[in-house]
Amino acid sequence: MTLSTNVAIGKPHNVREVFEFCRGLLGTPDGTPVREGAGYLDERTKRIGNPIGIGLPALLDITYGPDGPLTHRCDRFCSTELGGEFDTTQEQIDDHTRYVAESPTQNGWAAMIVDFDTAYGWRGEGGETCSDLHARLVTALGQWLDARGLPWKWQNEYTGEWFDRYDGLAEFGNAHRATGADAWFRNQVVPAIQAHAAVSSAVPGEPTEGGADR
């Protein structure tokens, strides 16, 4: 299980410059290879990121539109598909239409999306949780974007809500303690993982647990 936090940037900017700044935030070692390919939204988008499994506190990916802003590619939930081959209800279409209209990654607002992804059980110095870490990363990236006059929003994955700039970050960083999620992870998830690991250790060739950045 991982916490994925997206930061949407509302104006075009040099993607490599954003990438290198975020790499620095994570302490990426010099000479670390760059992972590039198709973006996760659709075939029109591209992606640049860090390799998986290099021991950093978060996996870093940036999705961007090389030819313009990120926009929605119509699918079976769009109104144009009503009455087509899929059994889609009007309620589903209405919900989907609302999602596309409100999401900066779908409605043409964003030029790129920065994604920090951290294992839910990650802990840093002083007991820092993944929520604390992501609030800190978003704040630092936001200050860097502000200095360059770039508008930005971020998404709370726990609720799905998008926020303008620093709104909601304090509550987000405190999410583990305020909601009891930290106690839930320690008391239920960790024992389950340990039990699974104990069983897996007896099976030849069973994969082991990965690092913070998967």
Side-chain angles (χ1 to χ4, degrees):
M1 294 184 294
T2 63
L3 173 65
S4 176
T5 301
N6 290 328
V7 178
I9 302 174
K11 287 184 179 179
H13 193 74
N14 185 292
V15 175
R16 193 60 184 252
E17 185 179 349
V18 178
F19 176 61
E20 292 298 338
F21 176 77
C22 293
R23 276 191 141 191
L25 287 179
L26 296 171
T28 308
D30 292 341
T32 298
V34 177
R35 190 163 51 102
E36 296 186 79
Y40 75 91
L41 290 177
D42 58 48
E43 70 278 4
R44 299 172 298 170
T45 60
K46 294 188 179 299
R47 182 183 65 186
I48 184 171
N50 273 345
I52 296 172
I54 58 175
L56 299 179
L59 178 66
L60 169 65
D61 268 313
I62 298 178
T63 294
Y64 61 99
D67 301 319
L70 302 174
T71 56
H72 177 67
R73 171 65 64 89
C74 197
D75 57 24
R76 72 186 182 93
F77 290 105
C78 294
S79 58
T80 55
E81 296 297 326
L82 184 61
E85 62 179 303
F86 299 104
D87 184 18
T88 307
T89 68
Q90 186 62 53
E91 182 180 3
Q92 289 174 314
I93 291 173
D94 292 343
D95 288 343
H96 180 69
T97 300
R98 185 164 47 251
Y99 158 72
V100 171
E102 294 175 354
S103 174
T105 67
Q106 301 286 320
N107 62 18
W109 187 88
M112 69 182 81
I113 310 161
V114 178
D115 178 27
F116 298 111
D117 195 349
T118 299
Y120 196 80
W122 179 90
R123 293 297 181 270
E125 294 183 6
E128 184 182 38
T129 68
C130 59
S131 301
D132 296 321
L133 169 69
H134 284 207
R136 178 163 57 85
L137 292 171
V138 171
T139 298
L141 175 57
Q143 291 170 342
W144 187 86
L145 295 171
D146 286 345
R148 287 154 182 78
L150 297 170
W152 59 279
K153 303 173 185 284
W154 71 279
Q155 186 181 33
N156 182 335
E157 190 187 42
Y158 297 127
T159 65
E161 184 177 1
W162 283 93
F163 291 89
D164 289 322
R165 301 176 69 237
Y166 306 97
D167 290 350
L169 278 174
E171 294 81 2
F172 175 66
N174 195 43
H176 279 72
R177 290 168 291 278
T179 64
D182 201 42
W184 166 78
F185 185 84
R186 291 195 312 270
N187 299 332
Q188 297 187 46
V189 177
V190 170
I193 293 174
Q194 291 172 338
H196 175 74
V199 173
S200 298
S201 64
V203 180
E206 183 75 14
T208 58
E209 290 291 327
D213 61 359
R214 302 183 300 179

